[in-house]
Structure formats: structure tokens, C-alpha cells
Amino acid sequence: MARSKNTQFAVAVHVLTYLAGMADGGPVSSDELSESTNVNPVYVRRVLGPLREAGLVRSRPGVHGGWELATPAHDVTLARVWRLLQGADPVLGLHGPAPDCPVGRGIQRSLTALDSAVSDAVAAELERFTVHDVLMRQIEQPAKPAGG
Amino acid sequence: MARSKNTQFAVAVHVLTYLAGMADGGPVSSDELSESTNVNPVYVRRVLGPLREAGLVRSRPGVHGGWELATPAHDVTLARVWRLLQGADPVLGLHGPAPDCPVGRGIQRSLTALDSAVSDAVAAELERFTVHDVLMRQIEQPAKPAGG
DNA sequence: CAAACTGTAGTCGTTGTGATTACGAATCGA
DNA sequence: TCGATTCGTAATCACAACGACTACAGTTTG
């Protein structure tokens, strides 16, 4: 697939869910978060940066510092997190640069349009769930064979 | 950074569309295909391998050899191509391995289920189009802002 | 046999990803 | 004020994926 090894979205959702579970336990350090997610604390801070810019989380340095939610978990859709971290990248992988022959360019235009359509489909699916849903395990395996 | 890694799907769709456009012009060499797609001929052959196994294309070595469609273009959905080349890989990136804390494991289970749901959504979207649609430029930019 | 293809293994350079180290700035407690 | 804790961020490193490229064996046509 196009979207290969980037785990930022997964880490972000994991952390947000963890913070939602902690509720009012005060700020959580990136060190503690790194233990739950099994990734490096520096990486946690890097991933959380854009989420803080967007107002989803707060961070505070110092002795009793750390991270906490700045928005209720049921107000944070996964689509929002997705767009913040990976919305710019194409879901399908496009090839190219632009080929020489005009036929090839026409095909590439179609592929670009297709990528937009698929990206929207992904976003629409992620719009259905919030961090609160993840915390409550409300995401079920789809039983349908990808048709509908 | 702009484009994601794996371009096999894009190259495959490009080649299939090209072959569909050639209709009955006889086999097309991977060299000619590589010029339209702007990728290496060896890479073209490697990508086309699975499609041949699935009966979508035929290949013939020798002087007037090359590649041609083995299935009508309007019978080949893009979802089928997708599944052949990249259906196994996750759309979202999962992180891991399994964390130590049980809370983290529960979150990861949710994320795995979420990935299935999103993968199905991608497949469903790609099911709507065929190689023939790409050839006819029937794929339009979606106007909706990704909301249902 | 020679030419034109495919099939496939193998190597190589580039790039993305995340771990890790390092250090400065901010905050709290004594 | 001093020291401990934590964030913010840059720099570097190892690893893996991707795709270009080379090379060569096998197959078909003339």
C-alpha cells in the first residue's frame, strides 16, 4: 500500500485514548506514554506536537508536567487526528514524474482524482469514530465483504 | 515526501489502461510500457507478474512478444488490482509490538479493527471503478468535503 | 543461428522511519 | 536560589522499503 510504515497516527490515537482513560489524574509524562505505546518518549513528543497546535492536548514542562487532553474525547474524531498527521500524503501511491506521452499524463490525472476519492473515503470512515469510541472498544470488525 | 512509497498499484493501473487503449494492436513490450509510465522495464515486468497469475494480462516472449489484456477492461475493477498488489498491507500504520500494559493492548486491538474497517472502505471505493473508466476519464474529483 | 522478448536474481543508491543522544528552557519544591 | 523534573528540538544512526540498473538464462520468430 501506499501508506507503509508510518505509525504516527496509531501512536497519536493510542496516546489520546490513554489520556482519555486517565481522565483527571493530572498530566502524564511522555515517559509514561512511551511505556504504554512502546515507542520512544522523544517520538511521542514529536507526534503530539501537531495535536497540541490543533488544541487537542496541552503540555506543561516542569516537575509535575506532562500531557493532558484539551478537548473531550468524544469530540475528537479519528478523522481529525488523521488529517493533522497524514492527511497530506496520498493513500494510493502515485508514480511519476509526469510521463512524456500525453496518454500517460491523462492516465495520471485520473489516478490523482482517484486518490482524492479514496482519501475522502478513508476520512469519511474515520469520521465515524472518536477517541472515546476507541476507549470504549466500540470499533467492531466489519463483517461485510467490502461491498455496500 | 509528497508521494508515498509503493507505486505498484499506480503503475499497474497505468499499464492496464495503456493496454486497453491499444486494444488490438498486438502485444506491447515492457520497454514501450516503461516509456509511458516512466519507470524501469524490469519493474514493469515485476509488477505485471501477479496480474498475469490472476489472468488479467498475458505475456509472450520472443520477437513479437510483449503484453496484452486477457480480460476486458470493463471487467477489471480497480479493487481487484489493489487486492492483488497491496491488499495485504495495512492502510493505517499500526505500531507495535504488543505493549506491556493491558490498556495498551486493548487500544491496539481497537486500532487493528479500525484498520480493517478502513481497508474495506478503500476497497469499496475502488470497486466503483474499472480500468475502462480510467481510460474514459470517468473518474471525477469528489466535490464533497469528505463528510457524509 | 541471430534478434527480440520475457523471467528473475542480484546489487546499489535514495529515502522514510523511528531510536537515541544531547542540550537548552521552563516549572516546581525545598 | 538551587536542584530535580519534564518538555522542545536538533542531530545522528541503523534499518528497511523502494525502485533503478545490470546481468543472464529461457523462449519465440525469422
Side-chain angles (χ1 to χ4, degrees):
Chain A
M1 114 162 60
R3 181 102 19 217
S4 48
K5 291 297 188 190
N6 198 324
T7 66
Q8 292 187 45
F9 171 75
V11 170
V13 173
H14 190 132
V15 167
L16 290 173
T17 306
Y18 189 93
L19 293 178
M22 288 299 153
D24 292 329
V28 180
S29 72
S30 60
D31 227 59
E32 178 176 342
L33 294 172
S34 81
E35 283 175 22
S36 176
T37 53
N38 226 350
V39 297
N40 196 278
V42 177
Y43 186 53
V44 169
R45 292 199 289 266
R46 251 203 299 251
V47 170
L48 258 40
L51 304 189
R52 182 188 47 213
E53 303 299 320
L56 300 189
V57 294
R58 243 187 315 268
S59 73
R60 223 175 47 200
V63 173
H64 289 128
W67 299 82
E68 50 190 353
L69 287 183
T71 301
H74 52 77
D75 284 349
V76 181
T77 67
L78 301 187
R80 190 168 173 194
V81 180
W82 176 261
R83 276 189 284 260
L84 282 172
L85 294 175
Q86 299 178 329
D89 303 328
V91 176
L92 316 174
L94 286 318
H95 68 301
D100 297 334
C101 77
V103 178
R105 274 198 298 275
I107 296 175
Q108 278 201 337
R109 256 189 295 273
S110 291
L111 283 173
T112 303
L114 180 68
D115 182 69
S116 293
V118 172
S119 292
D120 284 357
V122 169
E125 185 68 20
L126 292 176
E127 200 78 48
R128 296 177 50 216
F129 303 105
T130 68
V131 170
H132 186 256
D133 294 330
V134 178
L135 181 64
M136 293 305 171
R137 311 269 189 85
Q138 306 239 327
I139 300 180
E140 299 292 333
Q141 291 278 353
K144 50 166 184 172
Chain B
M1 166 68 131
R3 63 180 60 90
S4 53
K5 302 192 145 189
N6 200 326
T7 66
Q8 292 188 45
F9 172 76
V11 169
V13 172
H14 190 133
V15 166
L16 290 172
T17 306
Y18 189 93
L19 292 177
M22 288 299 154
D24 294 330
V28 180
S29 72
S30 59
D31 228 60
E32 178 177 342
L33 294 172
S34 81
E35 283 175 23
S36 177
T37 53
N38 226 350
V39 297
N40 196 278
V42 176
Y43 186 54
V44 170
R45 293 199 288 268
R46 251 202 296 251
V47 170
L48 258 41
L51 303 189
R52 182 187 47 213
E53 303 298 321
L56 300 189
V57 293
R58 243 189 312 271
S59 74
R60 224 174 48 198
V63 175
H64 288 127
W67 299 83
E68 50 190 355
L69 287 183
T71 301
H74 53 78
D75 284 350
V76 181
T77 67
L78 301 188
R80 189 170 174 192
V81 180
W82 176 262
R83 275 189 284 261
L84 282 171
L85 293 175
Q86 301 176 327
D89 304 326
V91 177
L92 316 175
L94 286 318
H95 68 299
D100 297 335
C101 77
V103 177
R105 274 200 298 277
I107 296 175
Q108 278 200 338
R109 256 190 295 275
S110 291
L111 283 172
T112 303
L114 180 68
D115 182 69
S116 293
V118 172
S119 292
D120 284 358
V122 169
E125 185 68 19
L126 291 177
E127 200 78 47
R128 297 177 50 215
F129 303 106
T130 68
V131 169
H132 186 256
D133 293 331
V134 179
L135 180 63
M136 292 307 170
R137 311 268 186 86
Q138 305 241 325
I139 301 180
E140 299 293 332
Q141 292 277 356
K144 49 167 184 172

